[in-house]
Amino acid sequence: MSALPETMLALVQRHDGYSDTATGPAIEDAAQWLEAREIARPEPGPGQVLVRLRMASVNPSDLHFIKGEYGQPRVKDQPAGFEGCGDVVATGDGAEALMNQRVAFVAAGAGAWAEYALADARTCIPLRPDISDADGAAQIVNPMTAMAMVDIARQSGEAFVLSAATSQLGKLMCSLGRDLELKPIAMVRREEAVEPLRALGAHEVLVTGDAQFSRKAADLCGSLKPRVFLDAVADPISEQVFAAMPSGARWIIYGKLGAENPELTQTGQLIFMGKRIEGFWLTRWMMDTAPEEQMRVVGEVQARFADGRWRTDVSDTLPLRDVVAKLSESLKKPDGKVMIVPG
Ligand SMILES: NC(=O)c1ccc[n+]([C@@H]2O[C@H](COP(=O)([O-])OP(=O)(O)OC[C@H]3O[C@@H](n4cnc5c(N)ncnc54)[C@H](OP(=O)(O)O)[C@@H]3O)[C@@H](O)[C@H]2O)c1
């Protein structure tokens, strides 16, 4: 411990608690929400580890969070960032087994967008040597959600619909769906994403801006009978798709990328067709799922990254000191995650 510096560079939050806005994950100027500052390096408590950061990912949940629009309150002056990968350099009581291991982690208290972060030892995933740092830094939130949600979909038939299919999570679900011999029906905004998504595993791809979108969505709902809609957009187009789905369909909202809110136009379907609207949150799935099942999923996730069935696309990499100035521009690059590295 004595060799570790007393202070560290971190991207700290500028606000406390929740805001009363609902503007989604778009960031115009990161300086509104974040400040790069030298702060005291945190110390791990019982059951915790101190991780020296290798790489942290920027997920939509991080952006909702720093804006005060996520399901957990912000803490002013604490580092932001939920997820990353790095080396365990100090441990609290009971966490000694992880010392010196490279782990994927979800930050607990002191966030991942800093040179050092704290994590609960029970949630750290020691990484196989054949997993890259980029895959390690995006190993938990999206891959575990993909595994959990495709598992929900497969229990309701072959076909399922997913929105924002060009997102990292959408791509993981398309290829996992194909590997499980399911038929993912992918919704995208960009025409140029159609072929890449088919190659990844989408059975059908619908472009939401296509003048024929509603008819094509209704035709596919009639022929393939998808009964689960995994939706990260939750806007009026999502509602149209749900309304076209067959009896017993479940609209599972797990993100809010869309700027407009949906309106319910067919409430009778909830009564007479047994349709349901629900949410999914990985944090709740972790609370409700037995540790052995979670470990099985973790093993399967690492195997998929190690053998190349899954990979993390990176659109840009920013050193900590450049994030405030450059994050907004970097987030505009399509088709990949922005990663943060020390420096
Ligand atoms: N509930 C949970 O437990 C949970 C867990 C993990 C992730 N999530 C959610 O899953 C979603 C995807 O996460 P991710 O990390 O995979 O995202 P990501 O890789 O950062 O990709 C997001 C992509 O979504 C597309 N998009 C953005 N706004 C959109 C809109 N209004 N309509 C349609 N598409 C839009 C964009 O692609 P194009 O520019 O190509 O359209 C964007 O690149 C997010 O909403 C996130 O919050 C939820």
Side-chain angles (χ1 to χ4, degrees):
M1 186 68 119
S2 56
L4 297 173
E6 306 257 302
T7 63
M8 65 175 190
L9 181 62
L11 292 169
V12 297
Q13 299 164 73
R14 299 193 54 200
H15 306 274
D16 259 325
Y18 299 101
S19 63
D20 54 8
T21 56
T23 53
I27 292 279
E28 304 247 315
D29 179 7
Q32 257 185 289
W33 320 107
L34 295 173
E35 187 182 335
R37 206 196 295 156
E38 197 70 21
I39 60 169
R41 174 184 51 73
E43 297 278 350
Q48 287 187 323
V49 296
L50 180 72
V51 182
R52 183 190 287 132
L53 187 75
R54 284 173 180 251
M55 198 176 265
S57 52
V58 178
N59 288 318
S61 52
D62 293 304
L63 305 174
H64 287 293
F65 178 68
I66 60 175
K67 294 171 81 175
E69 298 177 0
Y70 196 62
Q72 291 159 342
R74 296 167 294 183
V75 180
K76 187 170 179 289
D77 297 326
Q78 265 197 7
F82 285 130
E83 179 176 32
C85 123
D87 302 297
V88 175
V89 291
T91 58
D93 286 349
E96 295 80 1
L98 286 172
M99 189 65 191
N100 294 326
Q101 297 212 44
R102 187 175 65 116
V103 296
F105 68 92
V106 170
W113 296 355
E115 288 174 300
Y116 294 86
L118 290 180
D120 185 336
R122 288 170 309 177
T123 61
C124 286
I125 301 175
L127 290 169
R128 299 164 39 156
D130 48 3
I131 301 281
S132 69
D133 285 347
D135 286 340
Q139 183 82 185
I140 300 176
V141 177
N142 282 333
M144 301 283 285
T145 304
M147 296 289 285
M149 290 200 306
V150 173
D151 193 53
I152 293 172
R154 81 198 287 201
Q155 291 167 35
S156 296
E158 261 191 338
F160 65 96
V161 185
L162 70 156
S163 61
T166 52
S167 66
Q168 177 68 19
L169 181 47
K171 290 187 275 191
L172 299 178
M173 293 199 289
C174 284
S175 65
L176 178 61
R178 182 209 26 217
D179 295 350
L180 295 172
E181 298 181 0
L182 303 176
K183 293 181 173 159
I185 303 170
M187 289 165 55
V188 299
R189 295 191 295 188
R190 293 180 294 117
E191 181 71 45
E192 62 273 25
V194 172
E195 284 317 312
L197 273 180
R198 277 190 200 281
L200 263 182
H203 183 75
E204 297 285 349
V205 185
L206 294 168
V207 183
T208 50
D210 178 346
Q212 300 297 315
F213 172 82
S214 302
R215 185 192 51 76
K216 287 179 184 171
D219 286 352
L220 285 174
C221 287
S223 58
L224 295 175
K225 305 234 174 313
R227 287 205 159 74
V228 167
F229 177 15
L230 302 173
D231 184 22
V233 177
D235 70 356
I237 297 178
S238 300
E239 198 272 344
Q240 250 183 49
V241 172
F242 177 59
M245 289 173 75
S247 303
R250 293 164 70 185
W251 180 8
I252 302 178
I253 298 175
Y254 69 92
K256 186 68 187 96
L257 294 169
E260 259 186 279
N261 280 320
E263 238 177 69
L264 282 184
T265 60
Q266 310 273 342
T267 43
Q269 292 189 346
L270 304 178
I271 304 167
F272 304 116
M273 293 172 72
K275 291 190 174 190
R276 277 177 286 163
I277 303 171
E278 51 197 287
F280 177 91
W281 191 28
L282 182 64
T283 305
R284 185 148 301 284
W285 179 87
M286 284 175 162
M287 288 190 268
D288 295 345
T289 303
E292 316 78 71
E293 173 59 8
Q294 293 190 39
M295 288 322 294
R296 187 194 67 71
V297 172
V298 164
E300 173 66 13
V301 163
Q302 280 213 50
R304 292 185 70 86
F305 279 108
D307 64 19
R309 279 175 291 166
W310 273 352
R311 70 158 200 267
T312 303
D313 295 323
V314 176
S315 57
D316 206 358
T317 302
L318 293 174
L320 277 167
R321 82 173 91 81
D322 288 348
V323 170
V324 172
K326 297 187 175 163
L327 182 62
S328 157
E329 274 311 300
S330 295
L331 288 167
K332 291 183 183 140
K333 299 183 183 173
D335 249 349
K337 287 261 150 239
V338 176
M339 292 294 185
I340 296 176
V341 292

